[in-house]
Amino acid sequence: MLPKPEVIQLLTHATVFACPSIYEPLGIVNLEAMACGTAVVGSRTGGIPEVVADGETGLLVPVGEPEPLADALNVLLRDPDRAEAMGQAGRKRAVSEFAWPAIAAQTADLYAELTH
């Protein structure tokens, strides 16, 4: 475990973040990377596909298959402009859909829908 400022520094300077999980209920680590403007390569499992928009904010790969994971990482490492664009799209998505103001608005909308 690193202190939060060090994690932020590492993520903001990374070209890509890899999350080869077997299962993630939501994948907050992916949101943290996206919030730092880093493209994500993650397993297509659990909540990761809800967080990472495949082809837009990162790349999703099959669970437990090292070759597609390596291929996806290499694709982004060989094309830093694409990785940068995905990172910026990821930052925008993290803020617009997963930041506390967005979560609060979604919750308020749901409550309003349920009470009418």
Side-chain angles (χ1 to χ4, degrees):
M1 293 295 293
L2 294 174
K4 190 172 185 172
E6 290 182 36
V7 172
I8 292 169
Q9 184 178 25
L10 286 170
L11 289 174
T12 57
H13 289 87
T15 301
V16 63
F17 174 78
C19 185
S21 294
I22 295 172
Y23 182 75
E24 288 284 334
L26 177 62
I28 292 175
V29 294
N30 299 297
L31 279 173
E32 291 171 340
M34 290 165 54
C36 290
T38 303
V40 174
V41 173
S43 302
R44 187 175 281 123
T45 186
I48 296 174
E50 181 181 339
V51 172
V52 178
D54 191 27
E56 180 185 335
T57 66
L59 300 172
L60 296 174
V61 297
V63 176
E65 295 185 29
E67 190 171 325
L69 174 68
D71 290 345
L73 289 168
N74 283 325
V75 162
L76 294 181
L77 291 171
R78 289 185 184 125
D79 190 349
D81 291 337
R82 183 176 180 194
E84 174 70 20
M86 286 183 165
Q88 293 309 308
R91 166 99 179 128
K92 186 181 286 186
R93 180 174 168 83
V95 169
S96 70
E97 295 186 31
F98 296 97
W100 285 119
I103 298 299
Q106 292 170 22
T107 302
D109 290 347
L110 177 61
Y111 285 164
E113 181 183 321
L114 294 173
T115 59
H116 286 86

